Structure formats: structure tokens, C-alpha cells
Amino acid sequence: MPLTGFRIIDLTRVISGPFCTMMLADLGADVIKIEPPGEGDPIRKQGAGRDGMSWYFASFNRNKRSVTLDLKAPEGRVALERLIATADAVIDNFRPGVLARLGFDEARLQEIRPGIVTCSITGFGSTGPYSDRPAFDFIAQAMSGFMSVNGGPGDPPLRTGLPISDLVSGLYGALGVCAALVRRERAQTGEHVEISLTNSMVSLLAYVASHYFATGEVLPKTGNDHPIASPYGLFRTRDGQIAIAPSDNTFFGRLMDALELPALKTHPDFVSNDLRVLHRARLTALVEEQLGHSDSEYWITKLNAAGVPCGPIYDMHGVFSDPQILAQEMVMNVPTKDHGEVRMLGFPIKLSQTPCAVRRPPPDMGEHTGALLAELGYSPAELEQLRKLRVTAA
Amino acid sequence: MPLTGFRIIDLTRVISGPFCTMMLADLGADVIKIEPPGEGDPIRKQGAGRDGMSWYFASFNRNKRSVTLDLKAPEGRVALERLIATADAVIDNFRPGVLARLGFDEARLQEIRPGIVTCSITGFGSTGPYSDRPAFDFIAQAMSGFMSVNGGPGDPPLRTGLPISDLVSGLYGALGVCAALVRRERAQTGEHVEISLTNSMVSLLAYVASHYFATGEVLPKTGNDHPIASPYGLFRTRDGQIAIAPSDNTFFGRLMDALELPALKTHPDFVSNDLRVLHRARLTALVEEQLGHSDSEYWITKLNAAGVPCGPIYDMHGVFSDPQILAQEMVMNVPTKDHGEVRMLGFPIKLSQTPCAVRRPPPDMGEHTGALLAELGYSPAELEQLRKLRVTAA
């Protein structure tokens, strides 16, 4: 697999960091998740689950091993140091300064393992006036401008239901680490990768930002309507709604033909996209009049066959019973030893020669502490001592 | 830089692919953007701009060179083949089958350049019942379930204002290519990376998916309120609104102390998160009563100092005048030769030793055709002939 042979020490918790390290683990990396004994990663206790395992935790922690270490105890820090000495990368999502206060600043990490790649995911970055602030996904959604572009005309700011800042920053982290590992292969030297939740969301502002930069104007929100394309959005059929997104004259022509409204292609009010945006309401009414004669399924098949992008609007039932999403293996059942079969999302990156696979189910807390510390040379007596000192057990 | 020395042939257009290749270019790759003569990437004509350049186009195409080639002409395909023979990766976002019909299926690409990494970004993937369907961001937002979790209780499905499916699939593409390049360094062999807009969005469903898998239930939408935490959301101050996101009892305690409501910490109705969710409206009223005594700025400073995640809700004006976002260099002014200074978003991945930088401004259409084909050995007479045949010029 692409990252086989790379060992990553994972000091992250909750979502952004664990998502980052899971992406790298899915690509083959040997990810060792360090958890505080007793409590563990807080997400273990969150969300719905079955048979003693949170499926929310499971969805961010497949393909990892878990080692419990109390990093407040000197013996815990020694064990971490010995683990880091065997690793290619260390990833954390502490607040800036926390890892250094534990005795692992960048210089020390490079000393323990010369050329190691390090990565920190924080709320705002390690420099600047807010670097010390605590941050969560919701704050990054608010401060990045994301909430200001989410909603309909005149609506108040709205977060999205997914922890999008955590997830996107996790993805940037995985990309940054992967790129630094490429360099390390060639230059035998590592570097520090820094990702912030807020920067990650700002980087997605796309045309909203470029429009603002070029004109000084803030584009109004348009909900499901496209600001500069029509027809576009959700349209009523006989039994529901479908999403249609023709983007230019070619697609518009195909749509009109499929709806048996060919005359509208040359109608003076609809002949250009600008005119169609101007007469959006009238055009939508004409489109919906035709769509109302048949059911959604009929139109989805017919419009796609005509080359018009069109699809259903799914909730979770719809998504996870859709034949395409199932054919793409975006749902997996992962057997575990003690927690039955865990259902989770599949792999979004499809590799032809070395496909992502579940090599390990989500780990129990500290499941691999003994085995990994023994590999480092800890004797059974030393391991027993660490347990007694509550360094590896609560 | 991490990807210095890697050449990528970029056959992509509009957003998802160009965002993918820009991420790789920002990390040091030599990205050569192939555009059809005359029309070019359609995004060149979209969005606001200045001095003859679309700033929307600019925001996805820095650090690339542009070569115009008519791939419908045999001479254009020969030139592409000679370019691919010098490359480490080829990336496209055509519909499945289009690249093969142009004469560049996977086997042929591996023949032209053994061990090359290839990547396709499509709407639904290259297999399964919908693989032939056209797709746009909006359809992926609808079919992935994303729109079903965006909004308040009882609201209809809502797309978000950013082309999030395009952007996230571009990010997955960059990660997949980068991982495949790591493997190629070690194994001297390439592979095909496949990314779909719909799979990418499905992969972000997080707790909404894990809850559904574990219980069979679809979680109701909660707008700005967190489904399982209170207080959490937007709160009125004397002069506006702020976002507050305390996630557990510790943060709740800090918030109550900072609001001078310490008695609520032990109030029987608010003593656990479950109770606070149950009594959310009453708690929000008590919080807002205190917040109403001062302005947003006061509270943002005070609550952050107390360790409570809290921030303003920004529109574009706010984002791009915020001192932290400016300190993080998330806005850049890029000089160009003929189009003045272009303002664009900064780099979300911060590398300590080899920071991302603008090595090249966004290219004019075909700006580097002559230089790059000359490097391949085309003589001035041959280049003139290609121009006359309209292979490299409209």
C-alpha cells in the first residue's frame, strides 16, 4: 500500500486529528493511537453504538492500534519517546504549546528521531493574536465566513450539520503529512506541518471570496438557486422533488428537449443564461408544469439519459440504499472480536493496485499497549510495573 | 519543496480538478494545464475579475503553466503523448471513458510512461449503475445526503453556497495522488486513483451516518443548535451575536463563571449536559440576559480568556479584515505581468521548512505552449505548423 512501512504516532483526539490519521492509516500507514488511561479518546463515550463500542468512535479509528499512556507521568513520557524513536511522523491536535510543555517541542522531536515529520492541527494556527484561543468546529464555521454563505436570501448565519471544519482540516493534515513524507524520502529530512480549522474553512470560500476580492461586494445568499445559473435547483415532480443542474446553453437545450419544451430554447426571454436568471420564476413554473406529469424516478432516468445532471435528494435512508453508493462500497461491515460487526462508511480514495482495506478493526482502549511496548524492549516485569504505577492503566 | 521535481499533466477544468492540481502545485509540483485552444478552461470566463483576468479562475490556477492543445486533432494528441512521457502523474476530470476515447486509456498511459500515477475525478465513479451520468456539485450535494443535514428543524433540503463537493473531491484527489507518489518512490510503480464527488461527500457524514448505522434512525436537523450539547450556538449580545461552543461540564463551568452565573453550575436543572439540552430554551434566555449587558467584542475577549470557545460570526468583510486571518496570510496579492495584482486566498497547509509560495501567477491561456513544446524538441517550424493547423491556437 502507498504508506506501508510508515509509522505514525497519533496524539490526536475527537474528530479532526483522528480523521487525519485514519486517512493515512487507510492508505497503509502503521498508526499508533496514544490515549490517556481510563478516559481514552473522549469520542469513545459519544454517539450511538452497539455491543460496547461507539460507532462514532469506530468511524474515525479503523486501521489503528491503541496504546494507553499517561503523559503526565515521567514513565509515560519515556515510553512515548521510545515509540517516537521508531516513527516517521507525529501528529497532534492539542492547543499550541501543550506538546512542548509535555517535553516534546519540535527540536526535541527532531532529536529523538532525526528527520521526523510533525503535524499539528489547531483552531487558529500557532501564531497570531488568537493562537491561544480554544476552538471547536462551530467557531471555525462562524469565523471563516462559512456560516454567512449557508442559507437562503436574507437568512441568518447557519452552521452545517456536519463537523465540516474538523473534517476538512483533517484532510489537509493528511495531505500535508503525505507531501512531507515524499520530501523525506528524497531529502532524508522532515518538517513541521501546521493546519488550522479556521484557515482550512477559509480556503474553501471559492467564488464568494474571489468575487469579494475583485469587487468589494459580498454576494447575497441564494439558497438552492445558483447565483448565476438558471434553471438550477430543486424542482417539484408528481411525487416529490428532484435536483437539476444544467450549467450552460447546451445543457439547457437538452433539458428543454427532454421536457418536450423545445420552443423555449429560442424563446426571447430564455435564450441566454442571463435572461433565464432574470426570468427564473417563470421558467421554473414552466419546468415544474412538465415535471408534474410524471414521478421523480421517471424524470431522473430520462433527464440523465438526455445528458442533464439530475438526481434525487437523499436523507440517510436514501443514501445508504442507493445502488450506486452501495456499488461504490461506501458502506462496510467490519467484524470485531468483542463488539460484533460494526457498520461504517467506506473509502473515498479508490486505488487500482493497492486498494484501501480494513486491516484492523477500531481498537479497544489500550488493546495494543503490551505488545507494542514489548516490541520496544519493555520486559514483562517492567510492563507490570507501569500498570501498577497507573501509567498504562487506570 | 515536497513535490519539487514531480511533473503533473493536468487535463482538468472548472473546479474539482483544478483545485486538486493547485494543491499539488502549491506543494511544489510542476503542473502543466492542458486547455483547448480558443475556449480554454470555461472558468476563465466565469466570475468577477479585473484587468482581463477572472479572479475566480485565478483562485484555482496559481503555480501552473498553460499549454493549449486541441486533443481532437491527431497532432494535439501526439504533443500530449510527448508531454505525458515526461510526467509523473496525469489527472483528469472528464466523464468516465472520455480519456480512453481520446486514445489515453490506463494501459496506454502506462505504456507511454511506465509507472505513471493517474487520477480521475468523476461524479459517481467509473463503475456502478450511474457511472455514465453527468454530475455537478449540486447533484452530489443532493445525493450524498449533505443537503438533508443542512438547515434547521423541519427545513427542506438545502445546498451550501460553496461548491463543497468539488472542493472536497479535489482534496481527496490531491491526497490520493500524493500517496501514490510515495509508493512510486519506493516501488517504482504507479497506479490509478479514482475519486468521485458523491463518494467524497458521503465520506463526511460523520455522526449522522454512524447514528443511522447504529440505530436505523435519521437524526433530526438542529440548525445552529448542537444536537447533543447545550448551551451551544449563536447568542445575542448588546450589539449583535456571538458563537459559543462549550462542549462539556468543564467548559460549561467556565462559561457560567465568566457570565457571573456561578449558581447555575450546581442548579438541578443544568447540572448535566442532558439536562441542559432538555432545558435549552431557559438556559439560553439566562445566558442572553447576561450577554445583553455588554457588546460582542467585550464578551469574545472575556470568554476566550476564560477558556470558553467563542467568536464572531463573519461575512466576507469580517473574515478578510480579521487580524488572525491576516496574520495567517490567508489573503495574498499576486503580481501578474499583464493583469495587475490579483488578490486570492492563501495556503491552508503551513510547512516549516518549505512553505508554499506563489512561484508562478495564474497563466494566460496557452502562455507556455511554445516554451514547453520546444523543450520536447519541437522546432520553430513545427510549432508554426501546429499553430497554422489550429492545434495550439484558435
Side-chain angles (χ1 to χ4, degrees):
Chain A
M1 297 186 68
L3 302 185
T4 298
F6 289 96
R7 175 171 283 186
I8 293 171
I9 305 301
D10 178 5
L11 297 168
T12 72
R13 31 177 271 154
V14 192
I15 303 180
S16 64
F19 188 62
C20 169
T21 55
M22 187 174 77
M23 290 293 117
L24 298 167
D26 287 351
L27 291 164
D30 173 21
V31 172
I32 301 173
K33 181 180 180 78
I34 310 294
E35 300 184 75
E39 350 161 20
D41 184 340
I43 202 176
R44 286 187 180 275
K45 299 195 190 94
Q46 293 170 14
R50 283 195 200 174
D51 302 319
M53 178 175 277
S54 157
W55 285 21
Y56 191 27
F57 166 81
S59 69
F60 293 114
N61 289 285
R62 65 190 173 214
N63 283 331
K64 302 179 187 175
R65 292 188 283 180
S66 165
V67 167
T68 42
L69 283 180
D70 180 1
L71 300 181
K72 289 172 193 146
E75 296 85 352
R77 294 197 293 274
V78 168
L80 177 62
E81 187 173 318
R82 290 172 68 175
L83 270 174
I84 290 171
T86 69
D88 301 282
V90 176
I91 305 179
D92 81 277
N93 63 349
F94 296 122
R95 270 210 254 174
V98 170
L99 195 55
R101 284 198 293 279
L102 286 170
F104 298 94
D105 63 13
E106 181 66 16
R108 181 74 190 115
L109 289 168
Q110 293 297 336
E111 204 172 80
I112 296 170
R113 176 68 159 180
I116 199 163
V117 169
T118 60
C119 174
S120 299
I121 303 176
T122 65
F124 300 102
S126 67
T127 57
Y130 311 160
S131 57
D132 283 339
R133 288 190 182 178
F136 286 117
D137 174 75
F138 183 60
I139 305 298
Q141 290 200 32
M143 292 181 68
S144 64
F146 178 83
M147 285 175 58
S148 80
V149 302
N150 194 34
D155 284 351
L158 176 69
R159 80 171 182 125
T160 192
L162 306 178
I164 189 83
S165 316
D166 284 328
L167 298 167
V168 171
S169 60
L171 255 173
Y172 275 122
L175 175 59
V177 166
C178 207
L181 289 175
V182 174
R183 176 167 173 265
R184 187 166 173 271
E185 287 295 289
R186 295 194 159 186
Q188 273 71 54
T189 177
E191 60 185 311
H192 183 60
V193 180
E194 198 172 285
I195 306 293
S196 93
L197 270 61
T198 310
N199 291 349
S200 296
M201 290 310 291
V202 168
S203 80
L204 304 186
L205 290 173
Y207 70 91
V208 182
S210 60
H211 186 92
Y212 177 74
F213 291 147
T215 67
E217 285 164 18
V218 178
L219 280 172
K221 283 181 284 198
T222 58
N224 287 326
D225 293 335
H226 195 288
I228 54 169
S230 167
Y232 182 109
L234 303 186
F235 296 85
R236 279 191 303 276
T237 64
R238 190 165 62 190
D239 67 341
Q241 268 192 320
I242 56 175
I244 307 182
S247 64
D248 60 20
N249 276 343
T250 310
F251 288 105
F252 175 66
R254 291 177 190 164
L255 176 63
M256 291 304 106
D257 287 336
L259 292 176
E260 291 169 28
L261 295 170
L264 295 193
K265 290 191 288 184
T266 50
H267 190 291
D269 286 352
F270 304 128
V271 82
S272 76
N273 183 65
D274 286 352
L275 287 165
R276 294 192 294 270
V277 169
L278 196 64
H279 301 119
R280 190 193 295 273
R282 200 145 50 90
L283 184 54
T284 296
L286 288 163
V287 168
E288 290 194 332
E289 192 183 328
Q290 293 305 96
L291 292 176
H293 297 142
S294 299
D295 289 349
S296 297
E297 202 180 321
Y298 169 85
W299 287 116
I300 289 168
T301 304
K302 174 155 184 174
L303 296 184
N304 276 295
V308 177
C310 169
I313 307 104
Y314 282 146
D315 69 1
M316 294 303 111
H317 291 304
V319 173
F320 296 116
S321 56
D322 180 84
Q324 181 69 21
I325 288 169
L326 298 178
Q328 288 284 310
E329 300 179 341
M330 289 308 292
V331 183
M332 303 191 297
N333 291 313
V334 176
T336 67
K337 205 165 52 113
D338 299 322
H339 311 285
E341 214 169 51
V342 179
R343 186 168 298 170
M344 59 177 68
L345 295 170
F347 305 105
I349 299 177
K350 310 291 188 194
L351 298 167
S352 62
Q353 302 302 311
T354 58
C356 296
V358 180
R359 310 187 308 287
R360 299 173 185 280
D364 284 343
M365 200 194 310
E367 183 181 342
H368 307 93
T369 310
L372 274 161
L373 295 193
E375 265 180 34
L376 296 176
Y378 281 88
S379 69
E382 286 172 313
L383 289 176
E384 183 53 33
Q385 179 67 5
L386 288 180
R387 265 192 296 273
K388 275 193 188 150
L389 289 170
R390 298 185 176 277
V391 170
T392 56
Chain B
M1 298 185 68
L3 302 186
T4 297
F6 290 96
R7 175 172 283 186
I8 293 171
I9 305 300
D10 177 5
L11 298 168
T12 72
R13 33 177 269 155
V14 193
I15 304 179
S16 63
F19 188 61
C20 169
T21 55
M22 186 174 78
M23 290 293 117
L24 297 167
D26 287 352
L27 291 164
D30 173 20
V31 173
I32 301 174
K33 181 182 180 78
I34 311 294
E35 299 184 75
E39 352 162 17
D41 185 342
I43 202 176
R44 286 187 179 274
K45 300 194 191 94
Q46 293 170 14
R50 284 195 200 175
D51 301 319
M53 179 175 276
S54 156
W55 286 20
Y56 192 27
F57 166 82
S59 69
F60 292 114
N61 289 285
R62 66 189 172 214
N63 283 331
K64 300 178 188 176
R65 291 188 284 181
S66 167
V67 168
T68 42
L69 283 180
D70 179 1
L71 301 182
K72 287 172 195 147
E75 296 85 352
R77 294 196 295 271
V78 167
L80 177 61
E81 188 173 317
R82 290 172 67 175
L83 272 173
I84 289 171
T86 69
D88 302 282
V90 177
I91 305 180
D92 81 277
N93 63 350
F94 296 121
R95 269 209 254 174
V98 171
L99 195 55
R101 283 197 293 278
L102 286 170
F104 299 94
D105 64 12
E106 181 67 16
R108 181 75 190 114
L109 289 168
Q110 293 296 337
E111 204 172 80
I112 297 170
R113 176 66 159 180
I116 200 164
V117 169
T118 60
C119 174
S120 299
I121 303 176
T122 65
F124 300 102
S126 66
T127 57
Y130 310 160
S131 57
D132 284 339
R133 288 191 183 178
F136 286 118
D137 174 75
F138 183 59
I139 305 298
Q141 289 200 33
M143 292 182 67
S144 65
F146 178 82
M147 285 175 58
S148 79
V149 302
N150 195 32
D155 283 352
L158 175 70
R159 81 173 182 123
T160 193
L162 306 178
I164 189 84
S165 315
D166 284 328
L167 299 167
V168 171
S169 59
L171 256 172
Y172 274 122
L175 175 57
V177 167
C178 207
L181 289 174
V182 174
R183 176 166 172 266
R184 186 165 173 272
E185 286 296 288
R186 296 194 159 184
Q188 273 71 55
T189 178
E191 61 184 313
H192 184 60
V193 180
E194 198 172 285
I195 305 293
S196 93
L197 271 60
T198 309
N199 291 350
S200 295
M201 291 310 291
V202 168
S203 80
L204 305 186
L205 290 174
Y207 70 90
V208 182
S210 59
H211 187 90
Y212 177 73
F213 291 147
T215 67
E217 285 164 19
V218 178
L219 279 172
K221 283 182 284 198
T222 58
N224 287 325
D225 293 335
H226 195 288
I228 54 169
S230 167
Y232 181 109
L234 303 186
F235 296 86
R236 281 190 303 275
T237 64
R238 190 164 63 192
D239 68 340
Q241 268 192 319
I242 55 174
I244 307 181
S247 64
D248 60 20
N249 276 343
T250 309
F251 287 104
F252 175 67
R254 291 177 190 165
L255 175 63
M256 292 303 107
D257 287 337
L259 292 175
E260 293 170 26
L261 294 170
L264 295 193
K265 290 191 289 185
T266 49
H267 190 290
D269 286 351
F270 305 128
V271 83
S272 76
N273 182 65
D274 286 352
L275 286 165
R276 294 193 294 270
V277 170
L278 196 65
H279 302 120
R280 189 192 295 269
R282 199 145 50 94
L283 184 54
T284 296
L286 289 163
V287 167
E288 290 194 332
E289 190 183 329
Q290 294 304 96
L291 292 175
H293 297 141
S294 299
D295 289 349
S296 298
E297 201 179 322
Y298 170 85
W299 286 117
I300 289 168
T301 305
K302 176 154 183 175
L303 296 185
N304 275 295
V308 177
C310 169
I313 306 104
Y314 282 147
D315 69 1
M316 294 304 110
H317 291 305
V319 173
F320 296 117
S321 55
D322 180 85
Q324 180 68 21
I325 287 170
L326 298 177
Q328 288 284 311
E329 299 179 342
M330 288 309 291
V331 184
M332 304 191 298
N333 292 312
V334 176
T336 68
K337 205 164 53 113
D338 299 322
H339 311 284
E341 214 169 52
V342 179
R343 187 167 298 168
M344 61 177 69
L345 295 170
F347 305 105
I349 299 177
K350 312 290 189 195
L351 298 167
S352 62
Q353 303 301 311
T354 59
C356 297
V358 180
R359 310 185 309 287
R360 300 175 184 278
D364 285 342
M365 201 194 309
E367 183 181 343
H368 307 92
T369 309
L372 274 161
L373 295 193
E375 265 180 34
L376 295 176
Y378 281 88
S379 70
E382 287 171 314
L383 288 177
E384 183 53 33
Q385 179 68 4
L386 288 180
R387 265 191 296 273
K388 275 193 189 151
L389 290 171
R390 299 186 177 276
V391 171
T392 56

